[in-house]
Amino acid sequence: MTTTRSETGTGENLAETFSQYVPSIEARDIVTIKERYGLLIGGEERQPRDGGSLTTIEPSSGEPLAEIAEAGKADVDDAVTAARAAFEGGWRDLSPRVRAKYVFRLARLIQDRARELAVLESIDGGKPIRESRDIDIPLSAAHFFYHAGWADKLEYAMPGMRVEPLGVVGQIIPWNFPLLMAAWKLAPALACGNTVVLKPAETTSLTALLLGEIVQEADFPPGVLNIVTGAGATGAALVAHGGVDKIAFTGSTGVGKMIGRQLAGTGTRLTLELGGKGAHVVFDDAALDQAIEGIVDGIFFNQGHVCCAGSRLLVQEGIAETLLGRLKRRMDLLRVGDPLDKNTDVGAINSHAQLQRIEEYVGGAASEGCEIHQPDAELPERGFWFLPTLVTGLGGSERIAREEVFGPVLTVQSFRTEAEAVAKANATSYGLSGGVWTEKGSRILWMSQRMKAGVIWANSFNQFDAASPFGGVRESGFGREGGRQGLEEYLRLEPVHS
Ligand code: NAI
Ligand code: MG
């Protein structure tokens, strides 16, 4: 018997709705890409006053897609001024219930335009449509829904505290999850009553700009969200501006550290979500089939452009050979290619610069004596591509064993005891994520108490939820996004004495 969607009664399920949909050539037609995009300042699209423009590329072809504005210092200043005016001119004093309605409406409109957002995300950034469609866009909407719910309950979230928004927040986001990172940052900021100047990443600004249009459609007061596109210099101008109450940054550890030094002592609040080098630890009692799926998802999801990727596999000695054999066979099945093909597992590398970085790491590992394994597959001729890769034969001191590659590259080491697994897992300066695969509950607790990471997954990997706080320790940064904890990052809290 065949079951139709209406019979299952789950037609409301976003992922299921989308699985009926076959994006291919005609999928491109559902998005309109303009030749040139401006900045969003004070509710209006504007060309830069003192900046230039840059070209956003389609990674799967390497061809130009559109020109986007590059905001200069004067434009950043205009955006901060507009955000301040919107904050003081009413957004701050709006009833929390009304604020909640705005955020809720935004969440609904993102759902309404989910297909368009998903296709645009895959075209501009190179990620498989299956991921943008089932993960990035639904999770973005979920973040707005979740935070809309908090907007009028902040006093309950922070008992005994007087709760105030911070004011104007500058948010600088990366290119790996363009819309989702915008949502992670915007949803709590707006729900808590702040206004925002958002700086998208230079290779992937289009969905943020479409979100800007959706915010206008949702009738937000002008200046509550301003978008300044541009590269590092635009981000640096926002950090150096001095008129923002907080900077929230997600990106490389190098830039994050620089921002930290720059803001030290200024009173500007700061949260940093930086790189990672997550360890995926598999014990010999683990359910191997599931572990292999978790490992594959942990490193090949989004071409490995994931700060919390499980990029270091640590496997217990007794099962190492079996696991690696099966992992290689599984990797042979991964389909690398057209991001708009719904059967694609691994899409295009986000930019030429990132491809070069990945090639340099893997080339370096080979010259340091490591073995490199890749499936025997053909890559498209045009565009930026890198095959899923395993690196074995590591000593542990190689660059690839310690630094973030941010590509579909998994290093493999073995361990004998739990203590050795912990020592190897912690042998990096990062501390964002980790995974443990074992049937023993006590071992999961023992390991997660000792692994230095902000998030540890047990017998799973890459699970995200708006209600769950996400963030790092050590050089992976500080501050949390999501959950009740994430709200605190956008609020000024004062104890109430009575
Ligand atoms: P990046 O840190 O330069 O870029 C992230 C964002 O920061 C972008 O919006 C960029 O325009 C902005 N930015 C750059 N320089 C800035 C500055 N001086 N002041 C303020 N904002 C600035 O990262 P990039 O160069 O794109 O990638 C390099 C490496 O960084 C990757 O290979 C990866 O290892 C890591 N990375 C990690 C991310 C994460 O989610 N943890 C995200 C992006 C990159
Ligand atoms: Mg692009």
Side-chain angles (χ1 to χ4, degrees):
M1 193 187 95
T2 52
T3 314
T4 64
R5 221 172 69 211
S6 56
E7 277 167 356
T8 64
T10 53
E12 288 297 309
N13 178 306
L14 207 59
E16 191 162 304
T17 309
F18 276 126
S19 64
Q20 309 295 312
Y21 162 63
V22 187
S24 60
I25 305 298
E26 68 270 32
R28 297 187 77 93
D29 298 345
I30 72 168
V31 299
T32 311
I33 299 179
K34 296 194 276 189
E35 260 174 49
R36 189 180 167 82
Y37 289 82
L39 311 167
L40 177 64
I41 298 179
E44 277 166 27
E45 183 178 348
R46 278 197 4 200
Q47 292 307 317
R49 274 212 284 151
D50 66 341
S53 73
L54 41 92
T55 307
T56 190
I57 304 280
E58 177 167 14
S60 61
S61 68
E63 298 292 328
L65 263 183
E67 290 293 300
I68 58 172
E70 189 170 19
K73 281 187 188 155
D75 302 307
V76 168
D77 184 47
D78 289 350
V80 174
T81 304
R84 180 66 60 193
F87 181 69
E88 282 169 7
W91 187 250
R92 169 175 55 186
D93 303 316
L94 205 63
S95 133
R97 265 191 223 170
V98 178
R99 216 161 60 213
K101 282 188 192 169
Y102 277 106
V103 180
F104 191 73
R105 195 185 303 155
L106 180 56
R108 291 298 303 261
L109 288 172
I110 290 171
Q111 277 190 322
D112 286 350
R113 296 182 73 174
R115 290 179 183 195
E116 197 182 338
L117 284 162
V119 171
L120 190 59
E121 197 73 309
S122 285
I123 292 177
D124 196 20
K127 66 173 66 201
I129 187 72
R130 207 163 29 114
E131 292 178 8
S132 2
R133 174 191 83 183
D134 297 348
I135 297 168
D136 294 60
I137 312 304
L139 269 184
S140 299
H143 267 264
F144 285 104
F145 277 122
Y146 174 81
H147 286 92
W150 272 127
D152 61 353
K153 301 171 196 72
L154 295 172
E155 278 153 25
Y156 300 97
M158 316 285 162
M161 295 285 179
R162 207 164 72 92
V163 178
E164 297 277 352
L166 297 175
V168 177
V169 180
Q171 303 185 320
I172 301 171
I173 56 171
W175 42 262
N176 52 342
F177 294 92
L179 187 77
L180 185 59
M181 289 303 104
W184 277 27
K185 293 213 169 358
L186 282 174
L190 298 177
C192 290
N194 302 278
T195 60
V196 175
V197 178
L198 178 74
K199 210 299 276 172
E202 51 271 41
T203 59
T204 54
S205 301
L206 297 188
T207 48
L209 290 166
L210 180 52
L211 182 67
E213 279 176 34
I214 297 173
V215 164
Q216 306 282 97
E217 200 184 316
D219 221 14
F220 273 72
V224 170
L225 169 64
N226 306 274
I227 304 180
V228 288
T229 47
T234 304
L238 183 56
V239 174
H241 185 278
V244 298
D245 299 290
K246 175 193 167 119
I247 292 286
F249 174 83
T250 298
S252 62
T253 294
V255 172
K257 282 184 178 180
M258 216 165 63
I259 295 176
R261 282 195 292 271
Q262 217 174 328
L263 293 183
T266 63
T268 307
R269 294 259 298 257
L270 176 65
T271 44
L272 296 175
E273 204 263 87
L274 308 176
K277 192 74 181 166
H280 217 151
V281 184
V282 184
F283 286 94
D284 58 11
D285 65 337
L288 267 200
D289 286 337
Q290 277 133 287
I292 284 165
E293 289 311 306
I295 293 163
V296 164
D297 180 53
I299 186 61
F300 302 124
F301 168 56
N302 200 30
Q303 296 73 248
H305 304 325
V306 182
C307 47
C308 56
S311 53
R312 292 181 299 142
L313 173 62
L314 303 177
V315 51
Q316 202 160 19
E317 213 171 56
I319 54 161
E321 212 182 302
T322 316
L323 186 143
L324 277 189
R326 282 164 73 170
L327 180 59
K328 285 177 184 171
R329 284 202 295 283
R330 179 67 182 82
M331 282 168 63
D332 287 340
L333 301 176
L334 292 173
R335 294 171 65 144
V336 185
D338 183 5
L340 290 186
D341 182 334
K342 69 170 183 169
N343 294 314
T344 291
D345 298 303
V346 180
I349 299 301
N350 184 267
S351 67
H352 188 243
Q354 188 59 27
L355 177 60
Q356 282 179 320
R357 245 175 251 140
I358 300 168
E359 286 171 344
E360 211 179 289
Y361 273 113
V362 175
S367 61
E368 283 183 273
C370 302
E371 285 150 45
I372 313 294
H373 170 86
Q374 290 177 327
D376 191 14
E378 278 195 20
L379 291 177
E381 271 173 26
R382 299 185 316 152
F384 318 134
W385 308 95
F386 201 84
L387 283 170
T389 302
L390 276 189
V391 182
T392 55
L394 292 125
S397 61
E398 298 84 357
R399 262 187 85 197
I400 204 163
R402 293 176 290 114
E403 295 177 21
E404 182 176 50
V405 178
F406 226 57
V409 180
L410 179 67
T411 64
V412 187
Q413 289 177 271
S414 63
F415 67 88
R416 282 189 189 156
T417 62
E418 285 152 349
E420 194 187 339
V422 169
K424 284 189 168 159
N426 290 340
T428 111
S429 52
Y430 290 113
L432 194 53
S433 71
V436 181
W437 293 82
T438 174
E439 291 291 286
K440 266 196 200 166
S442 58
R443 191 185 252 165
I444 291 171
L445 293 174
W446 194 91
M447 290 293 295
S448 53
Q449 279 160 358
R450 285 161 183 80
M451 284 167 73
K452 293 178 182 161
V455 184
I456 311 260
W457 287 292
N459 294 326
S460 67
F461 211 85
N462 278 342
Q463 302 292 319
F464 304 101
D465 190 306
S468 170
F470 182 92
V473 297
R474 302 159 115 199
E475 289 190 18
S476 292
F478 52 82
R480 291 293 176 267
E481 296 186 294
R484 196 195 60 80
Q485 292 84 343
L487 299 170
E488 292 177 22
E489 315 286 0
Y490 287 97
L491 291 171
R492 206 179 308 282
L493 298 172
E494 280 162 26
V496 177
H497 300 286
S498 50

